[in-house]
Amino acid sequence: MATKEELIQELSEAVISCKKDAVLAAVAKAKEVMEPAEIIDKGLSAGMNQVGILFERGKLFLPHVMIAADAMTAGVKVLEAELPTGTENKKLGVIVNGTVEGDVHDIGKSIVSTMLQSSGFEVYDIGRDVPVMNFIEKAKEVNANMIGISALMTTTLQGQRAIIDLLKEEGLRDKVKVMVGGAPATQAWADKIGADCYAENASEAVAKAKELLL
Ligand code: B12
């Protein structure tokens, strides 16, 4: 029987190998002993981060990154089916979550949506490359308590600030909390733009949303 450390290593290596079959096999094995959130956070995401580093160093090229992203998404889909649906307890709060305009990265954002939903929040995932105004309009439409904003590039981080500024202009800032995330975001950035919180990963996002909304 493989140890947890070995399973985490296998999950990460499967993503780096860009092979969907390897990812699905590693997920099937890990499911026996690990929680879905842990498999995603410690195994698959760690592998994807490594892919990013290899891409940055010129050791992997964009097509590899796309294939690795597909493989990871397939693994996450299998695990999503294992998470509670959250339907029995949908009163924790209403959250609109999306990735800012100009940014197509959505794997992490979608994981955050799934984890929030399975923890009992009512989540409206509005997708990726979403114009600033759409966040506000959706928040008004569903009477959201919180907006989650993902940005994966230093160049698109400003979109998070733009959404907060527009919330202020619309007189909604006091009614809607803002949670920001994505690899280039930090607590210092969240403080600077006046967000209510920053979370480093999906598990932390759930904990912070509960802190702010319950
Ligand atoms: C996969 C990937 C892609 C895939 C995206 C597929 C998809 N459907 O998402 C593809 C191949 C399409 C892609 C394209 C590009 N990419 Co890219 N990509 C990545 C990569 C390798 C991994 C991202 C990822 O999915 N990680 C795994 C997930 C699980 O982690 P995560 O996204 O960080 O999410 C977690 C946390 O951040 C947090 N979180 C995320 N969102 C939110 C939201 C909230 C509210 C909260 C609280 C928390 C939270 O929780 C998540 C779960 O734990 C990163 C490298 C990296 N280290 O980030 C580069 C990276 C982000 N990409 C980069 C670049 C440059 C590009 C391209 C411009 C490449 C090109 N030359 O065309 C294009 C962008 C086009 C565009 N306009 O958006 C750069 C950005 C550099 C910068 N300026 O900052 C990076 C950093 C790679 C690098 N080192 O150069 N990319």
Side-chain angles (χ1 to χ4, degrees):
M1 179 78 151
T3 65
K4 214 181 202 185
E5 285 67 34
E6 285 166 345
L7 291 168
I8 288 171
Q9 181 75 13
E10 196 175 327
L11 287 159
S12 170
E13 279 169 7
V15 175
I16 298 166
S17 77
C18 304
K19 292 192 180 119
K20 197 185 277 186
D21 288 353
V23 170
L24 293 175
V27 165
K29 234 161 118 183
K31 265 185 354 177
E32 305 289 320
V33 281
M34 289 169 69
E35 291 298 321
E38 203 179 16
I39 297 177
I40 294 172
D41 274 351
K42 296 200 175 144
L44 300 177
S45 297
M48 206 62 219
N49 284 336
Q50 203 52 40
V51 168
I53 291 167
L54 294 170
F55 173 63
E56 209 171 337
R57 291 187 187 151
K59 305 247 188 243
L60 280 183
F61 298 103
L62 201 58
H64 296 121
V65 180
M66 291 168 85
I67 300 166
D70 269 359
M72 165 150 183
T73 304
V76 172
K77 283 243 146 42
V78 171
L79 294 163
E80 277 175 357
E82 311 268 318
L83 289 165
T85 59
T87 43
E88 65 288 341
N89 188 16
K90 271 214 170 129
K91 288 283 165 217
L92 296 190
V94 180
I95 303 179
V96 169
N97 195 32
T99 303
V100 293
E101 187 162 20
D103 197 326
V104 302
H105 297 89
D106 67 352
I107 300 176
K109 178 271 299 163
S110 302
I111 293 170
V112 169
S113 289
T114 304
M115 295 277 282
L116 286 169
Q117 191 158 17
S118 70
S119 306
F121 292 95
E122 192 175 324
V123 180
Y124 295 87
D125 188 323
I126 52 175
R128 59 187 183 177
D129 191 11
V130 180
V132 175
M133 197 41 148
N134 293 20
F135 279 87
I136 313 294
E137 276 166 2
K138 192 69 189 177
K140 280 188 196 162
E141 181 197 323
V142 301
N143 212 2
N145 309 107
M146 178 180 265
I147 293 181
I149 320 170
S150 183
L152 259 288
M153 300 192 288
T154 47
T155 45
T156 55
L157 261 187
Q158 290 299 336
Q160 298 182 330
R161 189 203 292 267
I163 292 165
I164 293 176
D165 289 347
L166 193 56
L167 272 175
K168 286 183 194 153
E169 274 172 39
E170 299 272 320
L172 287 169
R173 187 65 189 94
D174 293 342
K175 297 192 189 87
V176 185
K177 303 278 185 208
V178 175
M179 174 157 71
V180 294
T186 58
Q187 184 60 55
W189 168 251
D191 294 342
K192 189 171 171 189
I193 62 173
D196 295 291
C197 76
Y198 156 76
E200 193 181 351
N201 55 43
S203 315
E204 205 178 295
V206 171
K208 296 257 175 100
K210 284 184 176 168
E211 244 171 61
L212 280 171
L213 298 183
L214 299 189

